[in-house]
C-alpha cells in the first residue's frame, strides 16, 4: 500500500476554496438583492406621494 495516499491532507483543497467562494458570492447576492428591493419600494413610495 502506498503510505502517501493514507496521509491526511492539511490545508484547503481547490474544491473547498471554490465552494467557499461560491457561498460567499451567494450570501452577498442575497444581501444586496434584499437591499435593492427595499430601496426600490422606498423610491416608489416617495414617487407616488409626489
Amino acid at each position: 500500500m502506498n503510505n502517501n495516499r493514507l496521509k491526511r491532507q492539511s490545508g484547503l483543497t481547490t474544491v473547498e476554496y471554490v465552494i467557499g467562494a461560491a457561498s460567499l458570492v451567494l450570501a452577498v447576492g442575497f444581501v444586496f438583492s434584499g437591499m435593492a428591493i427595499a430601496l426600490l419600494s422606498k423610491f416608489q413610495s416617495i414617487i407616488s406621494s409626489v
Side-chain angles (χ1 to χ4, degrees), residues 26-40:
L26 286 174
V28 169
F30 281 129
V31 167
F32 281 117
S33 69
M35 289 172 57
I37 291 171
L39 189 61
L40 182 61

Side-chain angles (χ1 to χ4, degrees), residues 19-50:
I19 291 171
S23 300
L24 182 63
V25 167
L26 286 174
V28 169
F30 281 129
V31 167
F32 281 117
S33 69
M35 289 172 57
I37 291 171
L39 189 61
L40 182 61
S41 68
K42 190 69 157 175
F43 280 139
Q44 286 174 346
S45 68
I46 290 170
I47 291 172
S48 65
S49 67
V50 172

